[in-house]
Amino acid sequence: MSSGEGEETLSDDRDSLIDNTPEFSRMVERAISRRRFVVNSGIASLGAFFASAPALSSLATAAQQLTPAGDSPSAKMGFEAVAASTADRVMVPKGYQANILLSWGDPLFEEAPQFDPSGAAPASAQQLQFGDNNDGMSLFSLGEDRALLVVNHEYTNYKFLFDHQGAMMIADDVKKAQAAHGVSVLEIIYHQGRWQVDSNSQYSRRITANTPMEITGPVAGHPLLMTGADPGGRQVLGTLNNCANGQTPWGTYLTCEENFNVYFYSTEKVSLSEDQLRYGIGTRDAGYQWYLFDERFDISRHPQESHRFGWVVEIDPTDPEAVPKKRTALGRFKHENAALTVNDDRHVVVYLGDDQGGEHIYKFISRDPLDPNDSTNNLDLLEEGSLYVARFDAEPGELQGRGEWLELSHGKNGLTPQNGFADQAEILTFARRAATQVGATTMDRPEWVAVHPSGKTVFCTLTNNKHRGQKENQPVGGANPRAKNRYGQIIRWQPDGGDHTATTFAWDLYLLAGNPLVHQDSLYAGSSNINADNMFNSPDGLGFDRDGRLWIMTDGKTSNKGQFAGMGNNQMLCSDPDTGEVRRFLTGPVGCEITGIAFSPDYQTMFVGVQHPGVDDKSSHFPAGGNSVPRSSVVVITRNDGGVIGA
Ligand code: FEO
Ligand code: CA
Ligand code: CA
């Protein structure tokens, strides 16, 4: 498959990997049959929990009883817990290894220059190198010893990107910053006992803030998306603030645009609309200075350009020429990740979080069902469908309850012209306003969503929310039970009848993060599965492996003092939903967050993202040590005995 093999064309390769091959059909079949196989045990264990959960008046007692006591150790988790750490390195359990796959600035192409730590390298170098601040990622197998790894680059840090640290910006610096964003597609090969990057791969690709993309779905071509440069409202340059991700059974990658607002500003006085304010457009100069050199980011000149960001983008990683597609049917907000599952009726359901205090959890249901026999029929499944937003109901004092998905379709649930919604495009572009109109629950910053391999239970991290109880629209209670929530929680729900297209569901809090050493007998101590040995704050990244181990990544406070004493650096934990046990698996270097997870097909290698080591003036020299510049990196975790990670 390497480009050294001669005359194969890209489209030929694409055919051999994706279109109609027995291999791909088997992949889809395996995915679907696996869901059906495990489904019964998943329902049984959750059903047992819901049945046994008592009605309690004391919330603290309720938190202690959220999960089973965990007296017997989990059969799923076979590793020794890692202690909290403030070391400037990655710590893994005894018998495990952590090695660097690649770091920000590493060359992705044969002609790419090596990383220059001085910050003086031009945009043309960054364009050919691994981007900054790697975040969500997915692995696409090309066989036993080859795979594509597709990785998001959420943002960039001028302190390390430029020798002038952003103080003397020129036009090429803006281009360099834009090239540090987006997505990398790289091929990895298993060679001489380890996974390595093939910088000679024909699949290598950098997608940046300047890559041409197509806008698809209900908002494409709508006046809200028209700009001077694109009067048709169907073409846009680039993707921004690519936080986490999703992966489809038809072999494409989903990248989610999160804090896209921070790139838009103006030196002119602009009167901001309610919708702009709700999305944080133009409210502050975040320091990127793009609007000074690239006029589409100047909101006084191009007020609609920001409507073209905040979407989920679908990328075909097997074709470097494929135009990425923004999927407007999935709504516009600060997307965290896109957790896709195939319902029993083969409709594709995508769960989505909007990461801001007081925003919401959404789901998308495809209009058409998945075709298990011909994957080419699935390539545009995300183009049309229905968007819903969640309301979580609870009796006073309960940390569980019922919920309803509220449809965000024009003419329904008060989404009418009389209430300010002219058409479906306006609902999708200003999904936050529509969610408020229909009465969605304001949440504590929804981050990643993950669907249990049983296919029936869905988990979502609510990372923290300092505004809870401080703002009128964010009352304390139910799914968001703590004022000034500094620790975060994980919510889970089970659709009625195991049907992801159902509009009703049951929910509970899987865990409340907390600090049992600082707080006793209050919700801030955390749920019963949190103790002095596994405590953490701000759960963010979330993912399941095929055996149903839940992997939790944190992006929280790392002071290790006061409210956060004993928690150390950001980390990754493993949890067994059958018992509720939580065990610390990995700790990251100073100032980093842990975000991004992917597995090799045999689950004997885990790829983990270390993002922004040394941020906030914390001194880090990860990964090279000495006096080196800290660099976000993808870390490869393996077991010395070659076993399955976590088992
Ligand atoms: Fe990119 Fe909400 O974290
Ligand atoms: Ca995140
Ligand atoms: Ca984050």
Side-chain angles (χ1 to χ4, degrees):
M1 286 295 180
S2 76
S3 57
E5 283 185 13
E7 299 303 315
E8 294 174 284
T9 67
L10 293 172
S11 57
D12 287 339
D13 289 333
R14 190 181 179 291
D15 285 341
S16 71
L17 288 166
I18 290 297
D19 294 340
N20 258 331
T21 63
E23 173 56 25
F24 180 68
S25 299
R26 277 198 300 274
M27 186 179 99
V28 175
E29 279 166 22
R30 277 197 303 273
I32 292 175
S33 65
R34 190 164 66 233
R35 274 183 206 101
R36 290 195 170 140
F37 177 73
V38 196
V39 71
N40 289 331
S41 60
I43 282 179
S45 65
L46 192 68
F49 166 66
F50 273 104
S52 65
L56 297 165
S57 55
S58 157
L59 275 175
T61 313
Q64 287 300 305
Q65 299 195 5
L66 267 179
T67 44
D71 292 336
S72 51
S74 161
K76 279 203 173 81
M77 298 190 288
F79 61 92
E80 263 181 51
V82 169
S85 167
T86 55
D88 193 24
R89 54 171 297 188
V90 171
M91 309 289 278
V92 289
K94 201 184 295 177
Y96 282 73
Q97 283 188 39
N99 293 290
I100 300 295
L101 180 71
L102 82 171
S103 301
W104 161 53
D106 279 343
L108 289 186
F109 302 84
E110 276 201 312
E111 66 273 28
Q114 292 295 317
F115 175 66
D116 174 0
S118 75
S124 57
Q126 179 65 78
Q127 177 72 41
L128 300 173
Q129 297 168 333
F130 194 57
D132 201 0
N133 281 308
N134 49 279
D135 205 311
M137 58 183 154
S138 294
L139 183 143
F140 297 81
S141 177
L142 300 179
E144 280 208 344
D145 56 356
R146 287 182 177 273
L148 299 179
L149 195 63
V150 189
V151 189
N152 284 350
H153 302 292
E154 190 177 35
Y155 69 104
T156 187
N157 188 336
Y158 283 11
K159 187 166 82 171
F160 306 121
L161 186 69
F162 301 121
D163 48 3
H164 54 72
Q165 304 190 332
M168 297 166 61
M169 294 291 284
I170 59 172
D172 191 70
D173 291 337
V174 169
K175 289 205 172 73
K176 181 180 180 183
Q178 291 173 336
H181 284 68
V183 177
S184 289
V185 179
L186 48 123
E187 184 173 352
I188 53 175
I189 50 178
Y190 192 76
H191 183 58
Q192 295 181 332
R194 65 187 182 99
W195 287 99
Q196 346 182 350
V197 177
D198 179 3
S199 59
N200 194 24
S201 170
Q202 63 192 314
Y203 299 108
S204 299
R205 183 178 190 186
R206 278 306 321 278
I207 291 165
T208 73
N210 284 305
T211 302
M213 312 208 162
E214 183 187 342
I215 300 171
T216 76
V219 196
H222 190 276
L224 281 169
L225 299 192
M226 294 175 182
T227 64
D230 175 30
R234 293 177 182 275
Q235 310 288 330
V236 60
L237 291 181
T239 181
L240 290 174
N241 213 269
N242 303 82
C243 185
N245 61 309
Q247 190 169 16
T248 71
W250 51 94
T252 60
Y253 181 76
L254 303 175
T255 184
C256 300
E257 299 181 332
E258 192 186 15
N259 294 302
F260 62 94
N261 57 307
V262 299
Y263 307 96
F264 295 92
Y265 198 64
S266 179
T267 49
E268 301 294 315
K269 181 117 182 81
V270 183
S271 113
L272 299 169
S273 68
E274 283 298 313
D275 284 314
Q276 284 175 311
L277 290 169
R278 177 84 180 255
Y279 286 83
I281 306 291
T283 53
R284 70 185 177 98
D285 182 353
Y288 284 102
Q289 305 171 62
W290 292 6
Y291 63 93
L292 297 173
F293 298 94
D294 186 348
E295 67 169 66
R296 67 193 173 108
F297 295 99
D298 184 333
I299 52 168
S300 72
R301 302 175 72 177
H302 302 285
Q304 302 223 125
E305 182 69 10
S306 66
H307 295 162
R308 297 141 61 85
F309 296 88
W311 304 104
V312 173
V313 186
E314 185 168 4
I315 295 168
D316 180 349
T318 66
D319 178 4
E321 304 298 319
V323 176
K325 294 178 176 178
K326 297 208 175 188
R327 297 303 194 188
T328 63
L330 278 64
R332 174 173 167 269
F333 39 90
K334 294 186 182 179
H335 280 281
E336 184 73 17
N337 83 330
L340 186 149
T341 189
V342 180
N343 200 41
D344 287 347
D345 66 1
R346 295 211 172 112
H347 281 88
V348 168
V349 175
V350 188
Y351 290 101
L352 306 154
D354 180 358
D355 180 8
Q356 188 133 34
E359 293 299 338
H360 309 290
I361 295 172
Y362 297 80
K363 79 168 175 183
F364 164 86
I365 304 175
S366 65
R367 183 191 63 191
D368 300 324
L370 183 93
D371 183 340
N373 302 313
D374 183 353
S375 65
T376 57
N377 289 335
N378 300 322
L379 292 175
D380 287 319
L381 266 185
L382 302 183
E383 194 161 330
E384 299 290 344
S386 304
L387 190 66
Y388 297 76
V389 66
R391 193 189 68 227
F392 295 86
D393 300 323
E395 296 299 321
E398 291 283 334
L399 299 175
Q400 59 181 325
R402 300 277 306 157
E404 187 171 347
W405 291 106
L406 307 159
E407 187 173 347
L408 301 178
S409 293
H410 195 241
K412 294 186 179 172
N413 295 323
L415 298 171
T416 59
Q418 295 90 316
N419 288 326
F421 297 93
D423 52 27
Q424 187 62 21
E426 186 164 347
I427 290 168
L428 294 169
T429 306
F430 305 118
R432 288 179 162 186
R433 171 154 59 91
T436 298
Q437 176 69 41
V438 303
T441 302
T442 61
M443 307 300 285
D444 285 347
R445 293 187 55 198
E447 300 259 19
W448 293 43
V449 188
V451 183
H452 189 278
S454 73
K456 299 304 179 191
T457 313
V458 191
F459 292 65
C460 177
T461 46
L462 302 169
T463 193
N464 58 55
N465 182 11
K466 62 187 176 196
H467 301 302
R468 179 62 56 188
Q470 313 302 300
K471 289 187 173 177
E472 199 180 346
N473 71 338
Q474 296 178 46
V476 174
N480 307 278
R482 296 178 293 189
K484 298 186 195 172
N485 175 13
R486 60 177 70 87
Y487 295 129
Q489 64 264 28
I490 298 179
I491 191 169
R492 68 178 163 185
W493 60 87
Q494 185 179 36
D496 284 353
D499 175 4
H500 289 283
T501 68
T503 54
T504 51
F505 57 91
W507 67 268
D508 74 330
L509 293 183
Y510 179 64
L511 65 76
L512 282 163
N515 193 325
L517 297 184
V518 175
H519 303 277
Q520 285 86 37
D521 302 326
S522 84
L523 284 184
Y524 299 94
S527 46
S528 63
N529 46 355
I530 299 302
N531 55 56
D533 294 326
N534 68 9
M535 59 185 176
F536 61 93
N537 73 90
S538 306
D540 184 344
L542 199 65
F544 279 102
D545 61 28
R546 75 175 166 201
D547 296 330
R549 281 175 288 267
L550 179 63
W551 298 90
I552 305 164
M553 292 155 269
T554 75
D555 175 19
K557 291 279 193 290
T558 58
S559 67
N560 205 34
K561 291 192 289 218
Q563 302 282 346
F564 308 101
M567 293 179 172
N569 294 347
N570 277 310
Q571 54 195 273
M572 175 187 249
L573 304 110
C574 184
S575 183
D576 178 355
D578 293 341
T579 65
E581 184 184 345
V582 178
R583 200 179 293 179
R584 189 180 293 113
F585 177 78
L586 172 154
T587 61
V590 171
C592 82
E593 75 173 88
I594 301 296
T595 184
I597 182 171
F599 290 94
S600 60
D602 59 10
Y603 286 82
Q604 292 172 3
T605 302
M606 174 197 264
F607 300 87
V608 180
V610 170
Q611 194 195 52
H612 64 65
V615 81
D616 293 341
D617 293 324
K618 288 202 166 73
S619 171
S620 170
H621 303 287
F622 181 83
N627 273 325
S628 64
V629 170
R631 297 161 72 188
S632 296
S633 301
V634 176
V635 178
V636 183
I637 311 290
T638 50
R639 270 171 66 165
N640 296 342
D641 66 3
V644 168
I645 302 299

